Amino acid sequence: MQICAPVTGPVGSGAGIVLLYAPNYEQFRPAYALPESGSVLGRDPSADICVPTRTASRLHARIERRGGVWQLFDLGGRNGTLHNGEFVAEAVLAHLDEIRIGDAIFKFVESDAESHAHYRIDGAYFDDPDAPAKPRPRASTSRIVGGYQSQRLAGSLREIARSELSVLILGESGTGKEIFAEQLHDWSGRRGPLHVVNCAAIPAALIEGELFGHRRGAFSGADRDRVGLLRAAHQGTLLLDEIGDMPLEAQAKLLRVIQSKEVMPLGASQPEQVDVRIVAATHRDLDALQQSGAFRADLFARLNELSITLPPLRERKEDIFSLCVALARRHGRPEARPSMAFMAGLLHHDFPYNVRELEALIKRWAARARSAELDVEDLSDEIRDRMRSYGARSSASQPPPADEARATLAPEGEAAPPSGEGADALRGTLPPRASPDEKVLRELLVQQRGNVAAVARELGRDRAQVHRWIRRYNMNIDDFR
């Protein structure tokens, strides 16, 4: 059985916008469904979607479905409407596109808008999203932080936690696979410990001894018995991280352990009984590894009794605020207060290294900051550089809106990059607002071996835009690496 985080669904079925951040987020519904006939967003209470921020116009923007696609229209307010960080008069919306109305930042989703509506960005849960005054704490998932996507996956683990099913956790590096494994172990009620082994970090010649143990004299240098990790995790859980890097010979022996519940240490003459739940994790494509002969299909079948796929952080940006608060608390700064400019910077970034990258940023702030506020200077250099073009105008946009509402992170005198640098000098082979066709994008990904940052440099675009094109053409980035 495989459980994946919700990504896309039938176009127009359950489409809506999900709140990513607003300083007064408590006054917002966590998400809003969109009828195909359209919705007007604005500060006025009579608007279809009320945006209660003074930087929004009374009737600010409209979203509707025309000609089979969802479109965003600015209604001429003084502060303008941003689409993926760029002021627009109108724009076609794709799944996960970001929309900024005043000081409220949303993402567009093609499906599951109503499911998102139960989860506020601070972790509060609403039985009835239309009664926001009555939130209740979410179910105890102390390790797993996030909204609908994260809690849906957590729920699937909790349902089978007390069974003996093996679990396979898939996802990019840094998405939190070990956190989910730890939470599964906590819920399992198993009396033994959780042990973690990184299969990619152990030389192939040593991995069998690490997993299965050995007897004294089994090989040169074996001067004492050693209990392997499988025995050490008896009555507990063993997380095999980066299982895709396990050598084939070790895969065969692991399969026998799972089938027989017995371990044969190196140099032993009799097997030993072992009761251990196996959880495996990897960022690699195990289907492709099976086809190439690098991973055993029978072992995959044993590990894949339940499979979950963790979404990358760029696809669940509604979790970023709660992650900031939780990570600050973890690193001794529970008083953390992210500013609007700080959150705008994070939400405009695509986090190629996922939660691990966000945690590094929070750790730096926690180690050196005196103020409780997380602000522009606490962003990484990469994010600050990217934000210099935030609030640019598309070729189809109206004249620039009021300066105070642009919310660019650089002061007015520094907003434009130096001569010969910045977006205009890095347009590459693409004219403004153009998109590469599928063949061109595929060729670039092949040339750059799946390096999205390198492809973005070639095209003069940012990584987030390249990821959107990859989703549009239903490509799998791992196929190019």
Side-chain angles (χ1 to χ4, degrees):
M1 177 169 58
Q2 184 172 17
I3 306 291
C4 292
V7 179
T8 59
V11 175
S13 175
I17 55 173
V18 178
L19 183 68
L20 301 183
Y21 184 72
N24 57 334
Y25 60 83
E26 300 97 334
Q27 299 177 31
F28 287 75
R29 201 175 189 267
Y32 303 85
L34 292 171
E36 294 193 1
S37 58
S39 294
V40 172
L41 295 79
R43 189 180 74 247
D44 196 295
S46 67
D48 299 312
I49 297 175
C50 182
V51 181
T53 170
R54 62 183 181 84
T55 52
S57 298
R58 291 179 61 254
L59 301 177
H60 196 114
R62 179 177 178 84
I63 301 175
E64 64 182 74
R65 189 167 163 80
R66 288 187 184 180
V69 296
W70 287 94
Q71 297 184 59
L72 169 69
F73 300 92
D74 178 65
L75 297 181
R78 68 187 296 265
N79 291 343
T81 300
L82 283 90
H83 171 248
N84 295 328
E86 185 176 75
F87 280 104
V88 296
E90 60 182 74
V92 173
L93 292 174
H95 186 61
L96 304 182
D97 277 1
E98 291 163 32
I99 302 166
R100 180 165 176 175
I101 307 291
D103 282 343
I105 304 176
F106 303 89
K107 75 173 182 181
F108 171 76
V109 294
E110 292 179 342
S111 63
D112 291 315
E114 282 299 332
S115 297
H116 282 280
H118 293 277
Y119 299 89
R120 198 166 67 187
I121 61 171
D122 63 348
Y125 179 85
F126 298 93
D127 291 308
D128 181 1
D130 293 316
K134 299 178 181 178
R136 64 176 172 85
R138 66 168 184 254
S140 178
T141 56
S142 58
R143 297 178 187 270
I144 299 173
V145 176
Y148 167 55
Q149 298 186 75
S150 298
Q151 298 308 319
R152 177 176 180 266
L153 294 174
S156 69
L157 288 184
R158 191 164 197 165
E159 288 176 353
I160 57 87
R162 292 187 174 272
S163 72
E164 295 186 359
L165 289 177
S166 297
V167 176
L168 182 60
I169 305 177
L170 306 173
E172 295 179 8
S173 295
T175 49
K177 296 186 289 294
E178 187 170 340
I179 296 293
F180 273 76
E182 291 170 353
Q183 188 63 69
L184 173 64
H185 177 70
D186 288 349
W187 282 333
S188 72
R190 297 182 70 87
R191 292 176 293 173
L194 168 71
H195 281 285
V196 180
V197 56
N198 188 327
C199 300
I202 303 174
L206 302 180
I207 194 167
E208 290 185 34
E210 290 289 327
L211 287 176
F212 309 114
H214 61 74
R215 291 285 182 262
R216 179 182 178 183
F219 51 84
S220 178
D223 57 356
R224 66 190 70 182
D225 288 353
R226 178 170 181 173
V227 175
L229 288 168
L230 281 159
R231 282 288 298 167
H234 182 60
Q235 295 187 326
T237 304
L238 179 63
L239 170 60
L240 298 171
D241 200 9
E242 301 303 344
I243 187 72
D245 294 290
M246 179 178 283
L248 278 169
E249 187 175 353
Q251 290 179 34
K253 293 187 176 182
L254 175 61
L255 176 63
R256 286 196 292 272
V257 171
I258 295 174
Q259 291 174 329
S260 67
K261 305 289 187 183
E262 293 180 340
V263 173
M264 179 71 80
L266 297 177
S269 57
Q270 295 293 327
E272 300 176 355
Q273 292 292 316
V274 64
D275 170 21
V276 62
R277 177 192 228 140
I278 301 296
V279 178
T282 184
H283 72 282
R284 302 189 67 185
D285 185 343
L286 293 184
D287 289 333
L289 291 177
Q290 290 176 73
Q291 293 173 13
S292 69
F295 200 86
R296 294 179 62 107
D298 47 5
L299 176 59
F300 176 81
R302 285 288 185 175
L303 295 175
N304 194 39
E305 292 175 334
L306 175 75
S307 172
I308 66 171
T309 301
L310 305 188
L313 187 55
R314 64 182 173 273
E315 294 181 5
R316 57 181 184 105
K317 289 186 176 181
E318 65 275 13
D319 295 349
I320 287 179
F321 176 74
S322 58
L323 282 168
C324 285
V325 174
L327 291 169
R329 185 182 302 115
R330 178 185 299 176
H331 295 289
R333 299 297 299 272
E335 77 283 11
R337 297 193 310 271
S339 71
M340 180 67 209
F342 179 83
M343 288 302 302
L346 293 186
L347 294 171
H348 193 54
H349 185 52
D350 64 344
F351 286 97
Y353 306 109
N354 293 295
V355 180
R356 188 173 294 140
E357 180 181 354
L358 179 61
E359 182 169 19
L361 186 153
I362 297 296
K363 284 174 69 176
R364 285 195 299 272
W365 166 80
R368 66 190 183 191
R370 295 182 180 179
S371 169
E373 185 175 60
L374 288 135
D375 211 344
V376 177
E377 60 270 18
D378 301 306
L379 295 169
S380 67
D381 292 343
E382 181 181 6
I383 295 176
R384 288 202 302 270
D385 287 345
R386 186 178 176 199
M387 289 300 288
R388 288 183 178 276
S389 63
Y390 187 78
R393 288 183 294 127
S394 77
S395 57
S397 67
Q398 299 295 327
D403 289 338
E404 65 270 18
R406 291 173 67 89
T408 52
L409 297 188
E412 183 179 354
E414 301 175 8
S419 177
E421 298 178 7
D424 290 340
L426 296 175
R427 289 296 180 186
T429 59
L430 280 182
R433 305 293 293 165
S435 300
D437 61 30
E438 181 176 357
K439 180 180 179 182
V440 170
L441 183 60
R442 190 175 294 277
E443 288 175 353
L444 283 170
L445 286 167
V446 170
Q447 291 171 12
Q448 301 296 342
R449 298 182 180 178
N451 186 327
V452 174
V455 172
R457 286 193 295 271
E458 288 279 343
L459 296 175
R461 297 292 194 270
D462 56 52
R463 284 193 300 245
Q465 182 60 64
V466 176
H467 280 295
R468 282 189 284 271
W469 288 329
I470 289 170
R471 289 194 300 271
R472 177 190 300 173
Y473 296 130
N474 294 317
M475 297 179 185
N476 184 345
I477 191 63
D478 289 331
D479 293 341
F480 301 95
R481 291 173 173 167

